[in-house]
Amino acid sequence: MTKLRAEVDVDAPVSQVYNQWTQFESFPEFLGAVKSVDQIDDVRTLWNVSIAGREHSFYADIVEQVPDRQIAWQSTDGKFHTGRVDFTPNAEGTHVALEMEWEPEGLLEAAGAAIGIDDAQARTDLRRFKEFIENRGSATGEWRGEIHGGVEDSRPGEQSGSVGA
């Protein structure tokens, strides 16, 4: 099992940073290994990634999502992958902390994880995310719903938001 943690401070308000992170289909613009993400519904996504020259596809479900605070996910088939990103307001704008865990497949992925290539890529990806959101000045969309235990929390009288708004 491989684990990593990467962090970055973004010069933008927490709601703007969080809103951008909810736009999974924009991930290929700043996440190096991600080729595409399809938002199936509010909870389910389909990821296509390229790792060590090998293409992988897997479904991941959002298991926890609280606006301006946290998004956590877990793969449901294919490549084992789990993670979370926390958003914390600070003097610079927003502190973003990413944690991921996955099972490397094959010698190249295991070697890359062992020598820290994955950690370096995560730090680079977060810097690219920071540049993306700071240069844009606004998020490409937002989704303000809540998910707990993999189920959307749709309380009466509250609006959950919309994917790709």
Side-chain angles (χ1 to χ4, degrees):
M1 200 65 61
T2 298
K3 296 180 183 181
L4 71 77
R5 181 172 172 87
E7 303 176 39
V8 70
D9 288 316
V10 180
D11 185 14
V14 69
S15 61
Q16 180 181 340
V17 175
Y18 169 85
N19 287 345
Q20 185 59 54
W21 201 275
T22 67
Q23 302 306 292
F24 303 110
E25 292 176 348
S26 72
F27 281 13
E29 296 188 52
F30 46 83
L31 299 181
V34 177
K35 299 304 171 198
S36 68
V37 181
D38 296 318
Q39 182 89 38
I40 308 299
D41 59 31
D42 291 343
V43 173
R44 180 153 263 221
T45 55
L46 172 60
W47 293 70
N48 295 295
V49 299
S50 179
I51 301 170
R54 293 182 52 204
E55 301 286 326
H56 300 278
S57 293
F58 61 93
Y59 287 94
D61 286 352
I62 307 299
V63 293
E64 293 293 323
Q65 185 165 344
V66 179
D68 300 339
R69 293 188 53 213
Q70 177 188 91
I71 300 173
W73 63 92
Q74 182 173 329
S75 62
T76 58
D77 68 346
K79 190 166 188 60
F80 171 78
H81 183 100
T82 187
R84 69 184 261 174
V85 62
D86 293 303
F87 307 89
T88 307
N90 65 15
E92 291 78 31
T94 305
H95 183 75
V96 179
L98 171 69
E99 295 179 7
M100 293 191 314
E101 184 176 355
W102 69 96
E103 187 67 45
E105 295 178 6
L107 184 60
L108 282 177
E109 286 185 33
I115 63 173
I117 291 174
D118 299 329
D119 293 296
Q121 183 65 53
R123 288 190 303 274
T124 297
D125 287 347
L126 281 183
R127 280 193 303 271
R128 289 176 64 201
F129 173 74
K130 169 187 171 67
E131 292 169 6
F132 179 85
I133 193 68
E134 288 178 354
N135 290 337
R136 277 193 52 81
S138 65
T140 60
E142 67 181 57
W143 190 79
R144 307 291 296 175
E146 287 197 29
I147 297 171
H148 300 286
V151 177
E152 183 180 356
D153 182 3
S154 53
R155 297 178 193 149
E158 292 185 11
Q159 191 173 23
S160 66
S162 63
V163 174

